[in-house]
Amino acid sequence: LQGKQRAQVGCRGACLPPSAVMMFRCSLLAAPLAGAAVVIDAMKHDIQQIQAGSFDTIIGKFRDDAVSAVWYYKESNGADETFLDEYQKVAKELKGIVKVCAMDCERFGKFCKDAGVADTPTVMIYPPNPQPSYALQGELTSKRITNVLTKSVPSFVTTLTADNEATFLTSDPSKPKVILFSNKPKAPFIWRALSAEMVFKRTIKFGFATEEANAELAKKFKVKKFPTIVMQRGGKGEQKETYSGEINFQAIHNWVNLYSESGMGDKVKGAGGSESSSDEAKPWLIQDIPELTGPSHNDVCFKS
């Protein structure tokens, strides 16, 4: 028999020619390699890819203020390909709050080695200084990684009580005060994250008030439902605004950011053009009948 005839002996129905059989076998051998490629697509994923040369620009220089995570992976590693979807869940949930990044150790092997990465996938957590970075040990699930990162975000929220309400509202008069009125006992994560945002923590004061503990303050701001977010601005707290947008990090951030520049000053002008420290509390500014004292007389007597 000729070669073509021998290849078809024993076939029932349509038979493939030898060249087609060989191509099919080769495709089966190549399939596992092609399927093990890690592809991070900027159009599909919220993960920020970084390089060895951009690490300091994106993460290192912000260690004093920000929390970051880096997934060290190898593009051809099947375990990393499987982990991609899990890590994307973290990036999507914490978008805009925590930097969720990734670096290919096949391209930047020296950097990965210097960082102590031996196997992949490895997720390194970079909390704010002076806390050291560390590799997350154990099972790498999206829920666990998210939980670790959210706990690493510091809080600059003031929990308001009857004793500190006036001080909170009248100190730092150049800084807008934003208060979340809630029927929950503790400030939620997004409120803590907003207070720790790099610009806001210098320019905005975030307060947390509860329906039970701050009933009088709620009346003052005409709060009738919970949760409600209000902002007080102006040297005497004369401008008050209630937030009406969606309750999520980015929407609230956009609203607060409109007024963040007003809190940049460290000093404010007093009567006669003199400067006073911006952190001085002035409770008389929010009193219905201001008390006339030595510290208050400039505001009470000379300011309209």
Side-chain angles (χ1 to χ4, degrees), residues 135-167:
L136 191 59
Q137 302 297 320
E139 190 178 12
L140 296 179
T141 63
S142 59
K143 183 177 180 180
R144 181 164 178 258
I145 298 170
T146 300
N147 186 49
V148 169
L149 290 172
T150 55
K151 287 183 176 179
S152 300
V153 175
S155 175
F156 296 91
V157 175
T158 299
T159 299
L160 300 178
T161 66
D163 294 330
N164 68 5
E165 287 174 358
T167 300

Side-chain angles (χ1 to χ4, degrees), residues 6-28:
R6 285 198 301 269
Q8 293 178 344
V9 170
C11 292
R12 293 183 179 179
C15 289
L16 294 172
S19 60
V21 173
M22 183 61 69
M23 290 179 64
F24 178 70
R25 288 174 176 172
C26 290
S27 68
L28 289 177

Side-chain angles (χ1 to χ4, degrees), residues 68-258:
S68 305
V70 177
W71 162 35
Y72 292 96
Y73 70 95
K74 293 178 181 176
E75 186 177 0
S76 62
N77 184 14
D80 284 301
E81 184 198 20
T82 302
F83 181 65
L84 174 59
D85 289 342
E86 196 73 11
Y87 196 62
Q88 163 61 16
K89 295 176 186 177
V90 180
K92 183 176 181 180
E93 184 169 347
L94 299 180
K95 185 176 181 179
I97 304 175
V98 173
K99 292 182 180 179
V100 180
C101 306
M103 182 185 293
D104 183 1
C105 289
E106 289 182 345
R107 294 183 60 197
F108 307 105
K110 184 179 184 305
F111 187 95
C112 294
K113 183 178 179 181
D114 292 343
V117 176
D119 301 309
T120 63
T122 290
V123 175
M124 293 282 289
I125 307 297
Y126 296 87
N129 287 327
Q131 301 176 70
S133 60
Y134 62 94
L136 191 59
Q137 302 297 320
E139 190 178 12
L140 296 179
T141 63
S142 59
K143 183 177 180 180
R144 181 164 178 258
I145 298 170
T146 300
N147 186 49
V148 169
L149 290 172
T150 55
K151 287 183 176 179
S152 300
V153 175
S155 175
F156 296 91
V157 175
T158 299
T159 299
L160 300 178
T161 66
D163 294 330
N164 68 5
E165 287 174 358
T167 300
F168 174 83
L169 291 171
T170 62
S171 61
D172 295 306
S174 67
K175 295 182 180 181
K177 284 80 179 174
V178 188
I179 304 173
L180 169 61
F181 287 89
S182 175
N183 52 9
K184 306 292 184 182
K186 294 182 179 180
F189 167 67
I190 64 167
W191 203 243
R192 293 187 285 112
L194 285 163
S195 77
E197 199 268 352
M198 292 174 56
V199 174
F200 291 173
K201 76 175 189 177
R202 300 192 307 271
T203 62
I204 305 289
K205 294 182 69 174
F206 285 83
F208 178 73
T210 64
E211 182 179 12
E212 182 177 350
N214 308 96
E216 290 302 316
L217 188 64
K219 288 181 182 179
K220 178 181 178 65
F221 282 93
K222 300 179 180 178
V223 173
K224 297 180 179 179
K225 64 178 183 178
F226 301 86
T228 290
I229 298 171
V230 299
M231 179 185 291
Q232 174 182 289
R233 304 188 303 275
K236 293 184 178 181
E238 65 274 13
Q239 301 175 58
K240 294 179 174 61
E241 183 177 343
T242 300
Y243 176 69
S244 59
E246 296 181 10
I247 303 296
N248 62 61
F249 179 88
Q250 196 58 56
I252 300 172
H253 182 282
N254 292 342
W255 177 64
V256 174
N257 195 48
L258 295 173

